[in-house]
Amino acid sequence: MPLKLHHLNASRSQRIVWLLNELGVPHEIIHHKRDETTRLAPPDLLKIHPMGKSPLLEDDGIVIAETGAIAEYLIAKFDPDHRLHPRADSPDFPRYLEWLHAAEGAVFLPSLLTLYLGLAGAAADSPIQQRNAQELEKAANYIEAHLTQHPYFAGENFSAADCLMGFQIMSGAARGGLTGRPATAAWVQKVTARPAFKAMLAVGV
Ligand SMILES: N[C@@H](CCC(=O)N[C@@H](CS)C(=O)NCC(=O)O)C(=O)O
């Protein structure tokens, strides 16, 4: 039975679509649509997993939530030749793991807080939003410094960490986040030219 990915439009789930394409694993995408007003996921996702969020991966009746866990699961099961992740004894492995999880952790959190506090009416110049802006800037500078020294997040080679970091960087780019950050801009050019990235766009993100 092929893997099933529950994909929500305009969501971080596109990182897993990209990764599945990179791995070349046969899969079925089940599309779910955000509520036009609330932007929340439809209630049918709650029937698949108690948190009702996307992405959700189904493999032979087993449901897995959380992007980082899904990525690690896919890599462990479908990347035996280490095409998309460094070996555990490689010096690149710790950095790979850090970026794989930073994509949903410290570098992503300030964007989410900025969005929610903005929706709740916090002005851009309020102390809390200023603090978020500082955290976003710090993360963007860290990414730029890393990509100045390495072509990809795990070092010399493209990996699943690039797929996971993509959403954060590309949504930041839409807000001018690449200005003055040439290494990050070069990384975006490189990875968006990959056939698996283009196939992800074709799915309808
Ligand atoms: N920590 C989870 C976050 C999942 C999540 O919040 N997904 C969002 C899409 S970006 C969602 O389903 N939002 C709709 C909702 O909460 O109703 C992960 O890494 O997968």
Side-chain angles (χ1 to χ4, degrees):
M1 213 195 311
L3 294 171
K4 282 188 196 167
L5 178 70
H6 292 271
H7 174 68
L8 184 66
N9 64 303
S11 85
R12 285 168 272 171
S13 163
Q14 53 190 252
R15 302 180 288 196
I16 299 298
V17 181
W18 184 7
L19 179 56
L20 282 164
N21 291 339
E22 292 284 355
L23 287 165
V25 184
H27 60 277
E28 177 190 348
I29 294 191
I30 299 161
H31 290 270
H32 300 267
K33 202 166 172 333
R34 288 181 186 272
D35 182 284
E36 297 281 353
T37 313
T38 63
R39 306 299 293 154
L40 293 176
D44 54 336
L45 271 180
L46 282 167
K47 294 182 194 144
I48 319 286
H49 185 278
M51 292 304 290
K53 295 186 188 299
S54 167
L56 292 175
L57 185 77
E58 276 192 69
D59 185 9
D60 217 5
I62 295 165
V63 176
I64 310 166
E66 292 297 331
T67 306
I70 294 171
E72 291 213 43
Y73 179 83
L74 290 173
I75 285 293
K77 206 164 165 180
F78 301 106
D79 193 34
D81 301 331
H82 291 261
R83 275 194 309 113
L84 292 172
H85 74 298
R87 293 178 186 279
D89 59 0
S90 156
D92 291 336
F93 190 60
R95 207 56 59 222
Y96 159 78
L97 278 181
E98 180 182 328
W99 289 115
L100 194 71
H101 292 283
E104 191 61 25
V107 309
F108 186 66
L109 187 64
S111 335
L112 205 58
L113 289 174
T114 303
L115 173 70
Y116 280 120
L117 287 164
L119 290 173
D125 61 358
S126 61
I128 186 71
Q129 290 292 49
Q130 291 291 309
R131 171 97 175 92
N132 281 333
Q134 280 166 9
E135 288 295 305
L136 277 172
E137 177 84 4
K138 194 162 66 173
N141 290 345
Y142 176 32
I143 291 167
E144 176 67 12
H146 177 82
L147 293 174
T148 301
Q149 289 179 5
H150 310 276
Y152 295 106
F153 281 99
E156 284 306 303
N157 299 311
F158 181 88
S159 75
D162 294 283
C163 298
L164 264 60
M165 284 299 292
F167 185 83
Q168 167 72 10
I169 293 179
M170 289 166 212
S171 47
R175 298 187 299 269
L178 298 183
T179 311
R181 298 200 172 92
T184 312
W187 175 89
V188 169
Q189 266 208 331
K190 225 169 14 199
V191 302
T192 53
R194 296 178 71 84
F197 180 87
K198 292 183 182 161
M200 178 266 281
L201 293 181
V203 160
V205 290

